[in-house]
Amino acid sequence: MAAGNALHAALEAEGAVASHVDLLEHTAVPFRRLYRQAYFDLVRTVPDLVEWVGRRLDRRPSELKSVQQRLRARVTRLLSYEVPRMIDRYRPDVVVHTHFLGAEIVSGRMRRHRPLPQAEVITDFTAHAFWLQPGIARYFVASDDVRAQLLAAGVDEHRVRVTGIPIDARFSELPGRAEARALLQVPGDRELLLVLASGLGEKTLQAILDQVVAFRWPLHVMVVCGRSSELLSLARSYVERVSGPIGYTVAGLVTDMPTRMAAADILISKPGGLTSSEALAARLPMMLVSPYPLQEEINANVLLEHGVAVRVEPIATFGHKLRRLLEAPARLEEMRADCAELARPRAATAVATTVLGELVTRNRSREA
């Protein structure tokens, strides 16, 4: 959804008439509830099973689907019957997917109806076989490594574009650190630690905050809990316990994440594709916590390989690893420089201009 929001804004900035659709809102209610919640329940309770199944389904990535895969896609389309109707009403020149489910639903139907260019924006630093779908005119990917992965799976070279992962346009024009801290009304004379709690389990967040309470360093800790009322309540319960050189603020769902990342010195977060891309754009070193199996594990490996992050495993080592970073300002500066090398803050614009300049123009020429 975040990538979709970024692309919607970029397409409209380029003069397109664009509609951003939450695909699951147009699927059967039981399927919608299962799809939204089942994955997160499984990765929290049986992560090894999720990884095993995911790797089995990724053994032979290809746009040519097996009989079993075609049957699964057909069932998905039957449960998502409203999506093709919505597309027929809207009559777009092109469809851009930020999740593989959309391409799976639309591609099979479009083989039997009017040609409709489709593009996929892969929102992690890897491409699982699920992303490979017949009928995709362009794949937009995070890096040359993901491009190589798609080429090895048989995708034509001219259909893959390395653009980065689309993020909020505000990350391309961030305020300086001092200005950002002034906007947030947080101290400018101490390191600022940004904790993105959304997606973390309560036990993980509690372990982090327990170690923060015991930390002795001039530090301001900013915890953002997103939509989770449970995490917000837990984080707020620590307000009275924090003392000494530690400052502490807690927020729920926020709309100023670019400013918060611009103000911070270190980010503590899961390595989601969007969050990682935002941190890179903000030149913000990361401490990676509790990655989900498969794509977040690979995201973490990529970030570690390029020197922009450290991994906190087990969680009991958080305070120790945080102190090591704070005591090595030269290392933090190197990590910021490495972030800048990887950052692609204008990825949404790059995708939008390619879609409008190539796919839409070609489609209209063909129809004329």
Side-chain angles (χ1 to χ4, degrees):
M1 290 298 290
N5 288 333
L7 284 171
H8 185 218
L11 286 164
E12 289 194 329
E14 294 294 322
V17 178
S19 179
H20 180 204
V21 175
D22 181 351
L23 182 72
L24 290 179
E25 291 300 321
H26 298 270
T27 61
V29 173
F31 177 78
R32 182 189 319 161
R33 290 174 178 168
L34 176 67
Y35 207 93
R36 279 182 169 157
Q37 193 58 38
Y39 173 74
F40 297 105
D41 289 342
L42 288 171
V43 296
R44 287 169 182 152
T45 56
V46 284
D48 292 341
L49 175 62
V50 172
E51 182 171 13
W52 181 80
V53 172
R55 290 192 182 279
R56 282 187 64 85
L57 294 173
D58 195 35
R59 286 184 301 176
R60 291 183 291 273
S62 173
E63 291 178 308
L64 299 174
K65 298 303 178 182
S66 66
V67 173
Q68 181 182 4
Q69 290 169 327
R70 291 199 297 270
L71 286 173
R72 188 194 69 220
R74 184 170 180 80
V75 171
T76 301
R77 287 194 290 273
L78 289 173
L79 292 167
S80 311
Y81 54 85
E82 177 60 26
V83 175
R85 298 176 188 176
M86 175 192 62
I87 291 174
D88 286 343
R89 288 194 301 269
Y90 193 73
R91 295 190 62 80
D93 292 298
V94 63
V95 176
V96 183
H97 304 283
T98 58
H99 193 280
F100 52 77
L101 180 64
E104 187 172 60
I105 293 170
V106 175
S107 293
R109 184 177 186 274
M110 289 306 150
R111 289 197 297 271
R112 302 185 298 275
H113 294 70
R114 72 181 182 91
L116 177 60
Q118 297 179 75
E120 276 191 347
V121 179
I122 297 177
T123 53
D124 283 295
F125 293 91
T126 184
H128 191 277
F130 284 164
W131 284 101
L132 290 163
Q133 296 293 335
I136 301 299
R138 288 285 183 277
Y139 292 92
F140 296 99
V141 301
S143 67
D144 288 324
D145 287 352
V146 185
R147 177 179 179 274
Q149 192 178 355
L150 292 181
L151 298 187
V155 179
D156 298 333
E157 183 177 4
H158 73 278
R159 291 194 289 130
V160 185
R161 297 284 188 278
V162 180
T163 56
I165 299 172
I167 57 176
D168 192 316
R170 290 177 292 174
F171 280 96
S172 63
E173 297 179 353
L174 291 172
R177 190 174 302 168
E179 181 184 353
R181 292 186 178 189
L183 290 170
L184 295 170
Q185 298 182 330
V186 295
D189 60 348
R190 60 182 66 183
E191 281 89 358
L192 175 60
L193 189 68
L194 176 59
V195 181
L196 299 188
S198 182
L200 299 179
E202 290 185 49
K203 289 183 178 179
T204 301
L205 179 59
Q206 184 174 0
I208 291 172
L209 296 181
D210 282 342
Q211 293 174 72
V212 164
V213 168
F215 210 69
R216 288 293 173 260
W217 192 280
L219 191 69
H220 189 89
V221 181
M222 184 182 297
V223 184
V224 179
C225 299
R227 292 184 172 87
S228 173
S229 58
E230 293 82 5
L231 293 176
L232 184 61
S233 176
L234 173 63
R236 284 176 172 167
S237 72
Y238 279 79
V239 170
E240 299 300 325
R241 297 170 56 184
V242 175
S243 61
I246 304 292
Y248 187 77
T249 54
V250 180
L253 187 65
V254 301
T255 59
D256 59 352
M257 190 58 71
T259 303
R260 290 173 187 265
M261 285 197 178
D265 292 288
I266 298 173
L267 173 70
I268 292 88
S269 174
K270 296 173 64 60
L274 270 292
T275 299
S276 299
S277 297
E278 291 170 349
L280 292 174
R283 299 183 62 192
L284 181 57
M286 292 166 261
M287 298 182 72
L288 307 179
V289 179
S290 302
Y292 287 149
L294 299 174
Q295 73 273 16
E296 286 196 355
E297 285 282 357
I298 296 175
N299 290 347
N301 289 340
V302 170
L303 297 171
L304 294 170
E305 178 183 343
H306 287 90
V308 299
V310 298
R311 182 163 178 173
V312 180
E313 184 67 37
I315 196 65
T317 64
F318 169 74
H320 167 70
K321 292 188 174 182
L322 174 60
R323 183 173 295 278
R324 283 176 57 185
L325 281 178
L326 293 174
E327 290 176 346
R331 183 185 178 192
L332 281 173
E333 197 56 41
E334 288 178 5
M335 293 173 75
R336 293 187 189 102
D338 290 336
C339 284
E341 288 289 324
L342 291 178
R344 293 180 179 267
R346 301 183 186 276
T349 299
V351 173
T353 54
T354 301
V355 166
L356 297 178
E358 295 182 10
L359 301 185
V360 171
T361 301
R362 182 182 303 172
N363 191 34
R364 288 181 174 176
S365 298
R366 184 171 57 240
E367 291 180 347

